[in-house]
Amino acid sequence: MKYSANGLYVEEYRKCINCGELIYDRGLFYTNEDGSKIGPFSSVWDMEWYKERGSRQNAKSLVRIKDWRLEEQS
Amino acid sequence: MNLVDMNIVDKRLKSIAEEMGIVLMKTSYSTIFNEGRDFTCGVADDSCELVASADFQPAQVGGMPLVVASIIKEIPLSEMDEGDVIIHNDPFRGGMHTPEHTLIKPIFFEGEFFGFSVAIGHIAEVGGMVPGGFPGEATEVYQEGLRVPPVKIQEKGKDVEPVWKIMLTNHRTPRQNHGDIRALISAVNLGESRIIDLIREYGPDRYRQICNDLKDYAERRMRAEIISIPDGIYSFEDYMEDDGVTDQAYKIAVDLYVSQDKIVADFSRTDKQSPGPINAVLSVAWSATYNAILHLTDPQIPRNSGAFRPIKIVAPPGKLVNADFPAAEVGGNTETHIRICHTVVGALAQAIPERAFAPDGGTHSNFLFGATDERTGNYAVCYDFTGAGWGGRPVADGHNATNCINGNSRMNPVEVFETRFPWRFESLGLIPGSGGDGRYRGGLGMNKVLTCLSDNMEVSFMSDRQKIAPWGTQGGGKGQNGSVLIRRKSSQDFVTACEDSNKTSASKFNRIGFRKGDQISISSPGGGGYGDPKDRSAEIRARDQDEGWV
């Protein structure tokens, strides 16, 4: 969320591009092979889930899901 | 962890949340509160997580953690004092939809912060382009009523009058809304008082420890339930049949990744947000997913934030399940919630058919109207709904004429409705044969026919399942679609809103004028059937015939 300098209104409703949660700080980004910045993300878990979309769809069986709570706790 | 203390406190907290709801029901002015019970109450702890909730509105329980968290982002604890009450309804800042107002009151004991008492209620009239807050043809949130970001409506126990004045100036029924908001405040006041008693009884440290234990316990119980579901990727799709603005269906798709003790519900394949008001916001996607999983797991698991920890929801921005500002969204929490919820149930039905159930009628048939009542001279606004058939279950037929899966609401009694609003009931009854066939058939939808008693009535509607029927599961048949029909005093025929008023959708429309003698006929859908119809015994089929269910 990007608030106006005076704090009275919202200038941008900023969301994690993976899970859709509102992001109140800058958020996380990663850089693509072509140099473009991808994000914002609300967590490393979201970034990884987003990156692995293609491989997950092609997977024959379920890949173990990393626990998002471990990241939150650390 | 002391299991005895923890269980006693769990029941005490739940009982407090229930008592808050009873106070709210008994002190409110609108029928949506005191008859419909379209509210829920809960308690959050000092980490601002939900530790208890009452079983009023399932649509609001799963959204409560996000709405409380979003309030704290905007009004930090350092700016909260004893006696403050904060109000918030903005769907794009953590709320659920424009009518849903969340009130939270911080709880302090001997100067220390211990959490919040929380009450969420559906205020029936919030301004906007139609009386009753559900413009079926809205294309932006501004048309759906006044948005209130997290602000203090009471500060140190005293009203913040400018907030009250701004809100009540923008509502069509200020007297009723004033009463309803006071009722919400009474609920959080009672919650605060009861929690302080509990803290005093157990001591601050023990109370905090028990709250943490309760969340950890709920998490463990939920993880144990998920482990019993075979690992896999389970996908399912369903549709909202139109959005009131465009005549096209919108897909909700979920891929459920079940792995050991965790579930990821990924809605990335869902259609983009719609121009019309069926968009859900993120708290609805959360709440609907939790709602589905709570329906498929042990009902004894405490309903607190711990139970939700093993469930991750991926709802990318700009989708029908997480619309971007300033999308129209008011139907998302009532109608699209149901569809999201049953999409998750449909996915899990592949893994645990013995626990899954067929979908209910899938719409609340939200009937909104405003008119001056000639008997009193007052302007009356109402949000009314009609029970639908519930889906067949692994052990029994679906219930008849019951509020859908995201509601736990009661219908307005005929006598109350006729006393408070200028309509006369002509008929009210179940629709035989409307439930889907199956080993266990779907519950029946219902029909009501009303005659208008006012010359300046304006009717709006928000429903679905008039084109795409509730599906059956495990071989069960579809439920019957619903309908909304209008008959003018001068006509013999009931016709749709498209035929009567050239509307795009027969199920979602804005302010159609009614005059004395005009009639509306509302039919709710039946539930889907469960299991192969061949497995329903001849004896039970004969009973169905004899008792008039089919």
Side-chain angles (χ1 to χ4, degrees):
Chain A
M1 296 284 275
K2 185 182 173 195
Y3 296 92
S4 61
N6 57 21
L8 294 178
Y9 56 93
V10 176
E11 289 186 335
E12 181 193 348
Y13 293 83
R14 190 175 291 162
K15 293 177 179 176
C16 171
I17 64 170
N18 184 60
C19 73
E21 280 191 55
L22 288 172
I23 294 177
Y24 292 85
D25 52 20
R26 191 172 164 275
L28 303 173
F29 290 80
Y30 70 85
T31 307
N32 237 345
E33 287 172 1
D34 62 4
S36 57
K37 271 192 163 181
I38 308 294
F41 295 95
S42 54
S43 70
V44 173
W45 186 94
D46 281 291
M47 199 186 290
E48 289 178 359
W49 187 263
Y50 184 86
K51 277 184 194 170
E52 290 164 6
R53 281 175 306 169
S55 58
R56 216 172 29 249
Q57 279 160 14
N58 296 329
K60 298 274 187 232
S61 61
L62 179 63
V63 181
R64 284 270 174 261
I65 298 172
K66 191 176 155 189
D67 198 331
W68 50 93
R69 288 268 300 161
L70 299 174
E71 181 195 330
E72 284 175 16
Q73 285 160 358
S74 65
Chain B
M1 178 185 294
N2 179 329
L3 279 172
V4 174
D5 281 353
M6 191 188 73
N7 272 292
I8 290 170
V9 171
D10 180 36
K11 300 298 179 289
R12 286 276 294 275
L13 287 168
K14 191 170 179 200
S15 163
I16 289 168
E18 284 168 353
E19 192 183 357
M20 290 167 68
I22 290 165
V23 164
L24 175 43
M25 177 186 74
K26 285 184 175 289
T27 58
S28 57
Y29 281 29
S30 69
T31 53
I32 190 65
F33 279 5
N34 51 42
E35 299 294 344
R37 297 184 186 177
D38 193 347
F39 53 74
T40 232
C41 299
V43 180
D45 67 3
D46 60 354
S47 58
C48 305
E49 290 191 308
L50 185 67
V51 285
S53 59
D55 290 337
F56 290 108
Q57 279 286 331
Q60 295 158 349
V61 171
M64 203 180 277
L66 187 62
V67 73
V68 173
S70 66
I71 291 172
I72 306 307
K73 292 283 187 187
E74 302 215 18
I75 305 180
L77 293 175
S78 57
E79 293 177 18
M80 290 188 193
D81 286 302
E82 219 164 306
D84 288 355
V85 177
I86 294 159
I87 190 165
H88 171 38
N89 80 332
D90 189 340
F92 293 101
R93 293 158 91 156
M96 280 163 256
H97 68 161
T98 327
E100 222 82 303
H101 286 65
T102 298
L103 278 82
I104 67 169
K105 184 169 196 184
I107 298 164
F108 292 92
F109 177 72
E110 295 177 350
E112 274 187 81
F113 172 71
F114 279 87
F116 296 102
S117 56
V118 186
I120 305 179
H122 183 118
I123 305 277
E125 168 37 52
V126 289
M129 70 199 293
V130 304
F134 274 93
E137 301 169 51
T139 54
E140 55 180 357
V141 69
Y142 300 107
Q143 298 163 341
E144 296 177 320
L146 182 70
R147 282 187 302 141
V148 184
V151 290
K152 292 181 186 178
I153 192 165
Q154 287 195 332
E155 197 158 23
K156 296 181 181 174
K158 291 189 175 161
D159 285 349
V160 180
E161 287 193 3
V163 171
W164 285 94
K165 285 179 178 173
I166 290 169
M167 289 182 67
L168 298 177
T169 300
N170 283 281
H171 297 160
R172 292 178 177 84
T173 52
R175 182 177 174 276
Q176 176 173 291
N177 289 24
H178 177 252
D180 282 354
I181 296 168
R182 289 277 178 220
L184 285 158
I185 291 174
S186 299
V188 294
N189 284 344
L190 181 91
E192 176 204 30
S193 154
R194 293 284 189 264
I195 296 293
I196 287 172
D197 288 345
L198 199 57
I199 298 167
R200 189 174 289 119
E201 188 177 329
Y202 279 83
D205 293 342
R206 203 155 148 227
Y207 175 78
R208 279 201 175 96
Q209 184 60 49
I210 292 171
C211 287
N212 286 329
D213 289 348
L214 259 175
K215 290 183 294 180
D216 290 345
Y217 173 71
E219 179 181 355
R220 281 200 304 280
R221 293 280 305 272
M222 182 57 82
R223 287 191 189 278
E225 288 282 313
I226 296 171
I227 282 174
S228 72
I229 302 171
D231 280 6
I233 306 169
Y234 306 101
S235 301
F236 199 82
E237 295 170 2
D238 200 354
Y239 291 84
M240 293 295 293
E241 61 194 21
D242 65 53
D243 70 339
V245 175
T246 56
D247 188 17
Q248 70 173 78
Y250 291 84
K251 179 175 73 180
I252 294 165
V254 70
D255 298 315
L256 275 181
Y257 294 79
V258 180
S259 170
Q260 296 177 303
D261 59 355
K262 302 176 285 297
I263 293 180
V264 178
D266 191 332
F267 291 95
S268 298
R269 294 189 299 107
T270 295
D271 278 351
K272 288 182 181 169
Q273 65 190 58
S274 65
I278 58 167
N279 296 298
V281 291
L282 184 63
S283 61
V284 174
W286 280 28
S287 193
T289 305
Y290 296 151
N291 189 8
I293 294 170
L294 289 173
H295 269 86
L296 295 167
T297 49
D298 188 340
Q300 298 301 318
I301 298 174
R303 264 82 167 135
N304 65 42
S305 288
F308 305 146
R309 287 174 185 161
I311 304 159
K312 173 77 178 181
I313 294 149
V314 174
K319 301 282 187 181
L320 193 76
V321 294
N322 185 3
D324 287 334
F325 175 82
E329 49 66 54
V330 72
N333 195 43
T334 52
E335 302 295 285
T336 311
H337 178 123
I338 308 171
R339 208 69 76 251
I340 298 170
C341 192
H342 283 302
T343 302
V344 173
V345 172
L348 280 173
Q350 299 160 63
I352 44 171
E354 72 285 359
R355 285 195 240 170
F357 46 91
D360 55 39
T363 176
H364 293 284
S365 302
N366 306 289
F367 171 39
L368 305 313
F369 58 84
T372 302
D373 191 335
E374 290 172 13
R375 296 168 299 183
T376 62
N378 293 331
Y379 188 74
V381 171
C382 181
Y383 165 32
D384 179 67
F385 32 65
T386 302
W390 264 63
R393 297 163 285 165
V395 293
D397 294 341
H399 293 299
N400 303 319
T402 303
N403 208 229
C404 294
I405 195 162
N406 57 336
N408 202 9
S409 294
R410 305 184 304 187
M411 285 180 283
N412 278 311
V414 170
E415 295 79 4
V416 171
F417 193 85
E418 289 186 336
T419 302
R420 293 192 57 164
F421 307 112
W423 290 94
R424 184 179 65 237
F425 268 82
E426 302 299 335
S427 62
L428 173 70
L430 297 172
I431 305 172
S434 55
D437 200 359
R439 178 178 181 188
Y440 296 107
R441 61 167 172 71
L444 307 188
M446 66 186 307
N447 171 264
K448 59 189 182 191
V449 177
L450 304 168
T451 299
C452 179
L453 305 178
S454 167
D455 271 332
N456 64 0
M457 179 70 71
E458 288 184 313
V459 171
S460 302
F461 222 89
M462 168 67 71
S463 67
D464 207 72
R465 293 297 196 209
Q466 296 193 9
K467 301 176 201 167
I468 302 173
W471 37 272
T473 192
Q474 315 305 318
K478 293 177 179 176
Q480 185 175 296
N481 279 328
S483 66
V484 185
L485 300 170
I486 297 162
R487 180 163 71 184
R488 298 299 176 182
K489 188 179 178 185
S490 56
S491 171
Q492 294 297 308
D493 301 320
F494 276 104
V495 297
T496 66
C498 307
E499 295 160 316
D500 178 84
S501 300
N502 201 27
K503 296 290 186 183
T504 301
S505 167
S507 58
K508 304 169 191 72
F509 54 80
N510 281 0
R511 49 192 336 156
I512 291 181
F514 275 61
R515 301 292 172 261
K516 282 180 189 166
D518 292 344
Q519 292 186 326
I520 189 165
S521 170
I522 299 168
S523 296
S524 61
Y530 182 100
D532 192 331
K534 286 189 296 222
D535 294 336
R536 191 169 181 84
S537 71
E539 185 187 343
I540 292 175
R541 286 192 181 279
R543 189 200 66 189
D544 286 344
Q545 292 283 351
D546 290 346
E547 295 180 358
W549 303 116
V550 294

